[in-house]
Amino acid sequence: MDRDPRCPFDPPAGLRGLPPMARLEFSDGHLGWLATTSEAARAVLSDPRFSARRELKHPAVRFTTPGAAGRPAPAGFFGAMDPPEHTRYRRLLTGQFTLRRMRLLEPRIERVAADHLDAMAAAGPPADLVSAYALPIPSVVICELLGVPYADHDFFQERSLRIVAPDGDVDGATADLAGYLGELVRRKRSAPEDDLISGLLGELPDEELVTVAMLLLVAGHETTANMLALGVFALLEAGRAYEEGPNGTDTVEELLRWLSIVHLGAPSRAALEDVVVAGTPVGKGETVALSLPMINRDPAVFGDPDVLDPGRAEARRHLSFGHGVHQCLGQQLARLELRLGLRALFGRLPGLRLAVPAAEIPLKQHAAVYGVASLPVTWSQDR
């Protein structure tokens, strides 16, 4: 269900008007459900009678690794596990992503953003905001946090794109990244450093640590980079600049709600027993997918939900980071990178605007993460 190309910031037209729990035929023919309201989604994501285990779920879209459906997730892939296995990994990692620790990264994020803006300003307009700014910021930060050499960014960014692409060589890209990270882990066992991977050396065997590192590396830059670039596109198309409210997050939370870049298929859950959700009986073994674009524009939660309103008081009620025990581990880091990245960009480049008509911006149609493939921008050179 790709978005309507005539209006890239709106949910798929075919999803409008659906009930809270709508019947959905999955890509493998399974007849499951699609949750379209905030109430239904929260019920599914917070109920232990629904499982995140990959081998129990059916793929809502055709981007799953060939043969992965029906197989348990590899050791360390905690996003596709239930407690107590999931709990063990979360406890090891939660302390690394607290709000306090993320705030300690603020000066470094500001420096990375400033350096890339200086390079853009020196080269002069136009520039592709994706390659020049939106992708490097989260990539540099997650590399430094994990202890991955940023010099290898071309290698892991290309493999990450193949992993989230609907028709990419997922098996090959995953194997490449596993081999690369496996060698990195072995080097750190000989010479540990002050980073997250080194900090987990005594907690996890190599195989599990490689999987955890891969999950954090891919998720840590791919989603935030897409969100930053698409957020700038949305603001420029709406004729708005970045506005920072009293808590510093107003525009960021509204963009997270309004854009919903993870739009279908993730997260999803399988019913472990018969459950009633929003008045709808869900049978044991049935999979429930979530439509985040519909959930984050639920009129029962958000007034005028299709309007981009940076001052929206209820914006934080979005579910873009999930809900329940699987809520996004790196959400505070993503918020910080988005807030600082947008603030620096709009403050440094006066008159920032699209360099081509909006209709010419190449949009990603990935099943996993929505965004722009490139974002040509220009600006005034009067300072």
Side-chain angles (χ1 to χ4, degrees):
M1 292 185 184
D2 292 336
R3 298 183 186 226
D4 185 343
R6 294 167 300 175
C7 190
F9 300 119
D10 283 346
L15 295 185
R16 293 189 180 278
L18 293 177
M21 294 288 288
R23 270 299 187 186
L24 176 68
E25 183 176 346
F26 285 61
S27 62
D28 61 356
H30 172 71
L31 191 60
W33 298 93
L34 182 69
T36 66
T37 66
S38 182
E39 178 186 8
R42 288 175 185 273
V44 170
L45 295 176
S46 63
D47 193 330
R49 293 175 295 177
F50 283 98
S51 174
R53 288 163 55 191
R54 189 175 69 183
E55 71 270 26
L56 301 179
K57 300 190 297 182
H58 294 263
V61 288
R62 293 183 178 89
F63 74 92
T64 304
T65 305
R71 295 203 317 248
F77 200 87
F78 57 92
M81 296 178 177
D82 294 336
E85 292 82 3
H86 169 264
T87 309
R88 178 171 69 93
Y89 292 107
R90 288 287 296 212
R91 283 176 177 167
L92 289 175
L93 294 167
T94 298
Q96 303 289 335
F97 290 92
T98 63
L99 180 57
R100 182 184 67 83
R101 287 201 173 205
M102 295 304 100
R103 283 175 174 164
L104 294 176
L105 293 173
E106 187 164 336
R108 179 56 182 149
I109 298 172
E110 290 175 332
R111 183 69 263 159
V112 172
D115 287 346
H116 284 83
L117 287 171
D118 287 346
M120 288 175 63
D128 173 17
L129 195 76
V130 174
S131 59
Y133 191 71
L135 186 56
I137 291 177
S139 296
V140 170
V141 173
I142 196 63
C143 280
E144 293 184 356
L145 191 63
L146 292 175
V148 174
Y150 181 68
D152 298 331
H153 65 277
D154 286 340
F155 172 85
F156 65 74
Q157 285 172 358
E158 191 274 337
R159 269 67 178 182
S160 298
L161 280 174
R162 282 159 53 188
I163 287 173
V164 301
D167 54 356
D169 176 17
V170 181
D171 284 332
T174 301
D176 287 350
L177 273 179
Y180 168 81
L181 290 169
E183 178 58 32
L184 182 65
V185 168
R186 286 188 287 274
R187 293 204 308 267
K188 289 183 182 295
R189 286 202 181 275
S190 300
E193 299 175 291
D194 184 19
D195 54 56
L196 191 150
I197 291 177
S198 296
L200 293 175
L201 291 173
E203 304 289 346
L204 297 172
D206 284 11
E207 180 184 4
E208 293 181 39
L209 184 49
V210 165
T211 301
V212 169
M214 188 187 311
L215 184 61
L216 296 178
L217 180 63
V218 174
H221 80 272
E222 180 68 22
T223 52
T224 305
N226 279 283
M227 186 64 217
L228 183 54
L230 194 62
V232 172
F233 183 18
L235 290 173
L236 295 181
E237 178 69 352
R240 293 179 175 272
Y242 173 64
E243 303 171 22
E244 190 165 311
N247 64 3
T249 60
D250 296 21
T251 300
V252 166
E253 298 301 329
E254 177 65 350
L255 287 171
L256 286 164
R257 178 198 74 85
W258 199 64
L259 294 172
S260 302
I261 63 169
V262 179
H263 52 107
L264 180 66
S268 62
R269 297 290 184 267
L272 297 173
E273 58 185 83
D274 293 346
V275 187
V276 176
V277 178
T280 301
V282 177
K284 179 180 178 180
E286 292 183 332
T287 296
V288 180
L290 278 67
S291 171
L292 288 182
M294 297 302 297
I295 292 161
N296 285 341
R297 297 197 186 191
D298 185 344
V301 178
F302 308 102
D304 293 324
D306 291 334
V307 174
L308 176 62
D309 178 9
R312 183 183 298 276
E314 72 275 19
R316 271 188 172 268
R317 296 176 66 185
H318 67 76
L319 294 184
S320 294
F321 292 119
H323 180 66
V325 297
H326 282 276
Q327 195 168 24
C328 177
L329 187 67
Q331 62 179 293
Q332 300 304 342
L333 176 59
R335 285 186 167 104
L336 189 63
E337 290 171 332
L338 292 169
R339 176 169 63 86
L340 298 180
L342 289 170
R343 178 206 287 172
L345 177 67
F346 281 91
R348 179 71 170 80
L349 301 180
L352 185 68
R353 59 195 182 275
L354 298 177
V356 300
E360 296 181 13
I361 301 296
L363 303 174
K364 292 182 179 180
Q365 294 293 344
H366 290 175
V369 182
Y370 191 69
V372 292
S374 64
L375 187 66
V377 296
T378 188
W379 58 90
S380 305
Q381 294 182 281
D382 54 0
R383 61 160 126 160

